[in-house]
């Protein structure tokens, strides 16, 4: 703890010297360190959590200057073995510096990439930390940004929706947490007419069009699927952080049940994304608000157009995948239908790739994050369509000379 305190003091001393015009790092920067001891809500045992908190208590006690310094943790809920909030213990132990929580709670590129989640209404469980950083709320999620703000200011109760009765232990809390993440819980005060989403969308996009745009953030498929605006997306198994594309034709571990579930996932994602695109296209036809907002809505509409086309391709691909897999399992040699459908899929992929090249960027997306994997996913599907055709040609379920499996670079 003493060595780490010395190290942090040295880092902070250098950071505080940075000045640039009106910017003064000693006043305008909070340095938050999360290691060692990330401390997970579920994976970290009670004993390890207490050890981590006591360690940081000593680090901050030994530091010479804790101004604008915060200890960083992941989201924390209850202790596993006792009905006590972990935040209470941390608040009482870390008194020499601030403590912040980086709250991964869905719609964050980690659990999923949904457009909206009501999990910020559970922020009350972390009361005692000096700050919460919500890990969601990107440019596609403006209503979610304001929902997060609402429940950061009003964590214990709110005029819209308050959790009642509140979970009393870790198991009860996790059940509600994952029900919210997976859209199994949709509080009417948030989702119904004149609920939070309606009201906030009217404030964002105007009373005339806000309620119609709000419908996009309420869309939900059979299993809680939401519209897909990005090609790199956890919900369609293409996210960068933790998903390696599992629908490769050479995936020998995939079961018939998993194939069916993935086909359903893509079908539902395609359905709600097509709806989102249709809603926004109709709004744009008559939109008479500010030009800046209209430009953002136009960009979002283009993103939904791309997402709908990509999800439809995935749906088409998985339907052929399912049929061809069944043919090989039954030792059939009649692949005429699958051969034609694969050729049709490749034609649709070519159309998609041509469309992707026509989409312009947007000032909101300065670094092009929303454009990541658009072309790559089309080319990926095209490659596996070719491999399926090769399987048919050689009557070999897994042909030779297939690209090596993708590997995770991190995480």
């Amino acid at each position: 703890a003493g060595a780490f305190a010395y190290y942090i003091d040295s880092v902070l001393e250098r950071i505080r010297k940075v000045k640039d015009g009106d910017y003064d790092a000693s006043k305008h920067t909070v340095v938050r360190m999360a290691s060692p001891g990330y401390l997970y809500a579920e994976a970290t045992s009670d004993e390890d959590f207490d050890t981590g908190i006591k360690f940081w208590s000593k680090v901050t006690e030994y530091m010479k200057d804790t101004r604008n310094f915060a200890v960083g943790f992941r989201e924390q809920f209850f202790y596993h073995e006792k009905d006590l909030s972990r935040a209470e213990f941390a608040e009482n132990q870390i008194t020499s510096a601030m403590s912040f929580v980086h709250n991964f709670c869905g719609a964050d590129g980690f659990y999923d990439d949904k457009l909206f989640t009501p999990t910020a209404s559970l922020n009350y469980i972390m009361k005692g930390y000096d700050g919460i950083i919500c890990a969601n709320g990107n440019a596609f999620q403006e209503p979610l940004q304001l929902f997060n703000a609402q429940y950061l200011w009003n964590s214990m109760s709110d005029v819209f929706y308050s959790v009642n009765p509140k979970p009393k232990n870790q198991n009860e809390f996790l059940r509600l947490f994952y029900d919210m993440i997976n859209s199994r819980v949709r509080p009417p005060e948030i989702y119904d007419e004149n609920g939070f989403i309606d009201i906030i969308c009217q404030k964002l996009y105007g009373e005339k069009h806000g309620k119609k745009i709000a419908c996009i953030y309420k869309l939900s498929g059979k299993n809680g699927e939401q519209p897909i605006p990005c090609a790199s997306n956890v919900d369609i198994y293409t996210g960068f952080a933790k998903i390696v594309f599992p629908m490769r034709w050479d995936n020998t571990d995939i079961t018939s049940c998993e194939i069916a579930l993935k086909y359903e996932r893509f079908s539902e994602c395609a359905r709600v994304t097509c709806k989102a695109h249709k809603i926004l296209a109709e709004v744009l036809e008559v939109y008479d608000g500010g030009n800046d907002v209209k430009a953002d809505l136009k960009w979002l509409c283009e993103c939904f157009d791309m997402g709908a086309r990509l999800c439809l391709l995935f749906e088409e691909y998985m339907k052929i995948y399912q049929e061809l897999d069944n043919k090989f399992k039954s030792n059939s040699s009649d692949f005429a239908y699958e051969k034609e459908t694969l050729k049709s899929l490749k034609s649709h992929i070519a159309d998609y790739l041509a469309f992707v090249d026509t989409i312009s960027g947007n000032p909101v997306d300065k670094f092009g994050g929303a454009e990541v994997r658009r072309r790559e996913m089309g080319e990926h599907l095209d490659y596996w369509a070719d491999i399926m055709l090769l399987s048919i040609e050689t009557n070999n379920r897994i042909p030779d000379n297939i690209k090596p499996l993708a590997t995770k670079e991190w995480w």
Side-chain angles (χ1 to χ4, degrees):
F4 215 74
Y6 176 82
Y7 162 69
I8 296 173
D9 275 328
S10 301
V11 171
L12 292 175
E13 183 181 356
R14 286 159 178 78
I15 290 174
R16 290 180 182 129
K17 291 177 180 178
V18 175
K19 291 179 175 58
D20 185 3
D22 293 335
Y23 173 75
D24 181 346
S26 66
K27 299 176 182 177
H28 303 142
T29 300
V30 173
V31 176
R32 179 176 58 91
M33 291 196 173
S35 182
Y38 203 30
L39 304 186
Y40 294 89
E42 294 181 76
T44 301
S45 69
D46 291 347
E47 181 181 2
D48 287 346
F49 174 79
D50 284 354
T51 300
I53 294 298
K54 289 173 182 176
F55 168 78
W56 277 110
S57 174
K58 287 299 180 184
V59 169
T60 54
E61 180 184 330
Y62 296 153
M63 286 173 61
K64 294 178 181 178
D65 187 353
T66 58
R67 285 178 302 129
N68 292 0
F69 173 72
V71 182
F73 305 111
R74 275 287 296 272
E75 64 276 4
Q76 297 296 328
F77 308 142
F78 284 93
Y79 276 91
H80 299 179
E81 303 297 332
K82 53 187 175 182
D83 302 344
L84 177 69
S85 160
R86 284 182 167 184
E88 293 181 39
F89 182 74
E91 181 183 18
N92 292 328
Q93 289 289 315
I94 301 175
T95 57
S96 302
M98 295 183 290
S99 56
F100 279 28
V101 172
H102 200 89
N103 186 20
F104 281 85
C105 54
D108 48 27
F110 176 70
Y111 284 107
D112 57 65
D113 274 308
K114 290 183 171 63
L115 293 178
F116 190 90
T117 178
T119 47
S121 61
L122 301 173
N123 283 346
Y124 69 86
I125 193 66
M126 288 169 274
K127 196 169 183 66
Y129 292 105
D130 294 285
I132 299 177
I133 301 167
C134 294
N136 52 26
N138 60 38
F140 296 109
Q141 301 169 323
E142 287 181 319
L144 180 57
Q145 293 172 14
L146 296 180
F147 185 79
N148 288 343
Q150 183 76 10
Y151 284 89
L152 288 169
W153 284 111
N154 308 288
S155 60
M156 298 307 291
S157 63
D158 189 79
V159 294
F160 287 100
Y161 167 73
S162 296
V163 177
N164 187 29
K166 289 177 168 54
K168 298 182 179 64
N169 54 52
Q170 177 79 339
N171 287 336
E172 289 181 9
F173 191 91
L174 287 176
R175 192 178 305 119
L176 179 57
F177 178 71
Y178 285 114
D179 279 348
M180 284 188 171
I181 282 180
N182 293 306
S183 300
R184 291 190 290 265
V185 169
R186 292 165 61 88
E189 298 91 337
I190 298 170
Y191 288 92
D192 281 5
E193 186 173 3
N194 298 320
F196 181 90
I197 296 176
D198 275 1
I199 291 171
I200 216 63
C201 283
Q202 285 178 296
K203 291 184 180 296
L204 283 167
Y205 310 114
E207 290 189 13
K208 185 175 178 180
H209 307 289
K211 275 197 173 182
K212 190 157 188 175
I213 295 172
C215 293
I216 294 170
Y217 293 91
K218 300 179 191 180
L219 286 171
S220 183
K222 182 179 177 181
N223 307 295
E225 295 88 354
Q226 293 186 23
I228 305 292
C230 296
S232 177
N233 194 297
V234 174
D235 293 347
I236 53 173
Y237 315 104
T238 59
F240 264 114
K242 45 187 299 202
I243 305 297
V244 174
F245 191 74
M247 297 81 66
R248 296 169 56 107
W249 178 239
D250 66 339
N251 184 354
T252 55
D253 295 327
I254 195 167
T255 65
S256 297
C257 181
E258 288 172 330
I259 293 170
L261 287 172
K262 286 177 172 57
Y263 172 66
E264 182 177 75
R265 166 65 65 88
F266 290 126
S267 298
E268 289 298 298
C269 284
R271 184 174 65 83
V272 294
T273 309
C274 286
K275 279 188 178 180
H277 175 245
K278 184 175 184 290
I279 290 169
L280 214 44
E282 289 173 353
V283 168
L284 284 167
E285 282 183 7
V286 295
Y287 191 80
D288 53 3
N291 288 334
D292 288 346
V293 174
K294 187 172 184 178
D296 287 350
L297 293 176
K298 182 175 181 293
W299 172 69
L300 183 57
C301 188
E302 287 181 344
C303 290
F304 284 138
D305 193 2
M306 181 283 307
R309 292 169 189 249
L310 182 61
C311 287
L312 287 168
L313 287 179
F314 277 131
E315 179 185 15
E316 188 177 355
Y317 169 80
M318 286 309 300
K319 188 173 190 301
I320 299 169
Y321 192 120
Q322 192 173 41
E323 292 166 348
L324 195 55
D325 183 67
N326 287 335
K327 286 281 183 77
F328 273 104
K329 284 176 178 174
S330 63
N331 295 316
S332 172
S333 58
D334 180 12
F335 300 116
Y337 174 75
E338 287 75 23
K339 196 170 183 178
E340 289 305 309
T341 54
L342 280 166
K343 289 178 181 178
S344 177
L345 171 62
K346 283 179 66 63
S347 175
H348 296 156
I349 292 170
D351 292 341
Y352 165 80
L353 291 172
F355 165 76
V356 164
D357 290 339
T358 68
I359 305 177
S360 58
N362 186 277
V364 171
D365 185 28
K366 291 183 178 179
F367 300 106
E371 300 173 29
V372 170
R373 284 194 168 177
R374 284 176 174 176
R375 171 163 279 279
E376 179 188 346
M377 285 298 100
E379 292 170 346
H380 196 71
L381 284 173
D382 192 57
Y383 173 79
W384 290 110
D386 283 338
I387 295 300
M388 287 177 169
L389 285 168
L390 184 60
S391 291
I392 291 172
E393 182 183 325
T394 60
N395 199 24
N396 184 7
R397 174 63 177 81
I398 309 294
D400 298 328
N401 301 320
I402 289 178
K403 288 180 181 178
L405 284 168
T407 56
K408 299 177 184 179
E409 297 297 327
W410 63 295
W411 217 286

